[in-house]
Amino acid sequence: MKILTKKREIDDFLGTLRKRGEGVSADVVNNTGNILASVRRGGDRAVRRYTRKFDGHGVLRLAPSKIKKAAGEADAEVVKALRLAARRIRRFHRKQKERSWSFAEKGARLGQIIRPLRRVGVYVPGGAAAYPSTVLMNVIPAQVAGVDEIAVTVPTPGGRLNPHVMAALRLLGVEEVYSIGGAQAVAALAYGTESIAPVDKIVGPGNIYVATAKRMVFGTVDIDMIAGPSEILVIADSSARPDFVASDLLSQAEHDPLASSVLVTTSRVLARAVEEELKAQIKKLKRNATARSALRRYGAAIIERSLEEAAEVSNAIAPEHLEIMTRNPRRLLPRLRNAGAIFLGSWTPEPIGDYAAGPNHTLPTGGTARWASPLGVYDFVKRSSLLEFTRQGFLGLASPVERIAEAEGLGAHVASVRIRRKA
């Protein structure tokens, strides 16, 4: 893990981080575009063709009996943990629920109507890895928002159903589940087929083809975000435990060779101790090759003179996960502008947020935390403005409206007002 102290080398490293995961090859774009077009034309037949090619079966919708049977094979302790996590996630997201509002003024009532989306598609990874937590984090906010229909797609290579993913679906009462994945699943959700009704929005993570497909169907449907490689940044002073810091840096490095794990500290002694801990802990990981690759390319310890300067580095990176391990973590909070989720104190590691704390683990990556937010109930609603005027209220605004419309050269707008003024 690189230890950086000079401004130029820090700036160079930050530039490398910004380019991480950038760009999609022409082959991926072309192949994804071809799949989308094929499903749009061919419907179910095209989806089945791609599912046979990539997953070795032609099943589209999973029967409830199959889901129930597979869920019955799940580890009882894991199911118990999922049930606890679901309760906490639901409780947290209920706090995010918005309500319609309006106010009256002389001759008018103005307001905003909040309505849930009618139909949402959730993509759950199910290839090389399967994540029941993805089911919880994407479905529960939609349910809290009041979405009428939730369709889930989860690839099942070889037709094998992951018991824990199926258990999570049963736990939440999700019955519309399709055993399809990849760009073909995104296309089916966006455009619809004979047996899959189109949705209004697609959420959930996936591989490069899923991410590219989501980007390409945006506009036909809404999407949550384009998720990039995982990332963590830890701000720490000399009070932090090196073993805690190292374990948390590895928690993201094991995800992906493109994952970034950054320590920003005021203590050179801590940086060296963390480096030694990383060497010791990484040997125990099953995914140590992935973690080594990530740390070698996108891992660093940045030495700053003060915690205030450390906060500025963090704001420049805008990390997905930001941990604060200092003597007084809350003191730094007002200076932290850009982060997907902020974890305060040594006893609040990132995995707590991934699974059971309550806040959503679907977070902005790649610096988008400068303007983007975690997935939430607000992502599953839409807003309509409400306007209601009496004649008196209308006449009170008619003159300025005419002036603005005339200034913009829109004669029909002017006429629409004038015809009422004469009525």
Side-chain angles (χ1 to χ4, degrees):
M1 192 174 185
K2 299 174 285 292
I3 296 181
L4 310 177
T5 58
K6 297 178 181 177
K7 185 178 186 308
R8 182 174 179 179
E9 61 186 7
I10 293 172
D11 288 344
D12 287 346
F13 176 71
L14 296 186
T16 300
L17 283 188
R18 292 187 190 101
K19 295 175 184 175
R20 180 180 58 105
E22 266 188 6
V24 179
S25 73
D27 283 346
V28 170
V29 173
N30 290 336
N31 290 339
T32 302
N34 289 338
I35 291 172
L36 294 180
S38 179
V39 171
R40 195 169 194 174
R41 289 193 308 266
D44 284 348
R45 186 171 61 179
V47 175
R48 283 196 176 90
R49 184 170 71 249
Y50 288 117
T51 303
R52 287 192 186 97
K53 178 180 179 180
F54 297 120
D55 291 338
H57 68 84
V59 177
L60 296 187
R61 185 162 182 170
L62 285 174
S65 58
K66 280 196 169 185
I67 297 173
K68 181 179 180 180
K69 181 180 178 181
E73 299 170 5
D75 182 277
E77 289 302 310
V78 174
V79 174
K80 182 179 178 182
L82 289 172
R83 189 174 288 112
L84 169 68
R87 285 199 302 269
R88 295 183 62 89
I89 294 164
R90 193 175 299 277
R91 181 178 66 182
F92 178 88
H93 285 80
R94 279 176 177 154
K95 301 287 187 182
Q96 296 177 338
K97 196 164 183 179
E98 300 175 84
R99 288 174 174 79
S100 300
W101 54 267
S102 66
F103 66 91
E105 59 181 29
K106 189 174 181 180
R109 176 168 288 278
L110 305 172
Q112 190 174 76
I113 299 173
I114 309 292
R115 287 197 176 100
L117 302 181
R118 189 190 66 81
R119 181 169 167 81
V120 166
V122 176
Y123 188 99
V124 176
Y131 302 109
S133 61
T134 298
V135 176
L136 304 185
M137 293 292 184
N138 286 270
V139 171
I140 290 175
Q143 290 179 332
V144 172
V147 172
D148 292 331
E149 299 176 11
I150 300 173
V152 172
T153 65
V154 53
T156 57
R160 294 182 296 275
L161 307 185
N162 181 275
H164 297 127
V165 169
M166 297 300 117
L169 290 168
R170 274 186 55 79
L171 181 65
L172 301 184
V174 178
E175 296 183 348
E176 187 180 352
V177 183
Y178 301 94
S179 57
I180 59 177
Q184 60 273 21
V186 175
L189 292 172
Y191 305 130
T193 70
E194 296 91 332
S195 59
I196 303 173
V199 301
D200 303 312
K201 183 165 188 167
I202 300 172
V203 301
N207 62 20
I208 189 65
Y209 288 95
V210 172
T212 303
K214 285 171 67 178
R215 190 189 301 272
M216 294 174 79
V217 300
F218 175 66
T220 299
V221 294
D222 190 18
I223 61 172
D224 51 351
M225 61 184 75
I226 304 296
S230 298
E231 51 200 41
I232 187 171
L233 187 146
V234 179
I235 295 178
D237 59 17
S238 59
S239 70
R241 286 183 50 163
D243 54 343
F244 282 17
V245 175
S247 66
D248 293 357
L249 294 174
L250 288 171
S251 74
Q252 297 310 292
E254 73 173 352
H255 268 297
D256 187 326
L258 293 175
S260 72
S261 299
V262 180
L263 167 65
V264 187
T265 181
T266 53
S267 171
R268 289 174 182 264
V269 173
L270 177 70
R272 292 296 182 191
V274 169
E275 185 179 32
E276 292 306 310
E277 279 291 336
L278 286 171
K279 290 177 183 177
Q281 292 185 27
I282 203 168
K283 295 174 183 177
K284 303 172 185 177
L285 295 180
K286 289 182 180 179
R287 299 173 62 87
N288 67 77
T290 299
R292 287 180 194 279
S293 178
L295 288 174
R296 191 176 299 117
R297 298 170 68 190
Y298 303 111
I302 297 174
I303 312 297
E304 289 292 346
R305 290 173 297 182
S306 68
L307 291 176
E308 289 72 22
E309 290 179 351
E312 288 309 306
V313 172
S314 176
N315 286 334
I317 293 174
E320 177 186 16
H321 306 101
L322 172 58
E323 292 188 359
I324 313 299
M325 294 194 209
T326 60
R327 288 180 180 84
N328 188 351
R330 280 190 163 273
R331 185 177 176 185
L332 203 57
L333 192 56
R335 293 180 176 270
L336 302 171
R337 297 180 60 87
N338 305 326
I342 301 172
F343 301 76
L344 296 181
S346 295
W347 299 102
T348 317
E350 185 277 337
I352 285 285
D354 263 354
Y355 297 118
N360 209 284
H361 76 193
T362 304
L363 303 169
T365 60
T368 60
R370 290 177 293 110
W371 47 265
S373 305
L375 188 74
V377 173
Y378 38 76
D379 287 296
F380 297 98
V381 300
K382 57 189 180 71
R383 301 160 184 84
S384 298
S385 297
L386 177 68
L387 304 85
E388 182 183 16
F389 279 75
T390 64
R391 186 174 188 278
Q392 181 185 14
F394 163 78
L395 291 173
L397 281 182
S399 181
V401 169
E402 278 190 40
R403 296 290 180 272
I404 297 171
E406 286 172 341
E408 294 187 350
L410 297 174
H413 285 62
V414 175
S416 173
V417 175
R418 284 182 178 168
I419 199 170
R420 285 171 171 78
R421 291 183 74 176
K422 296 175 182 178

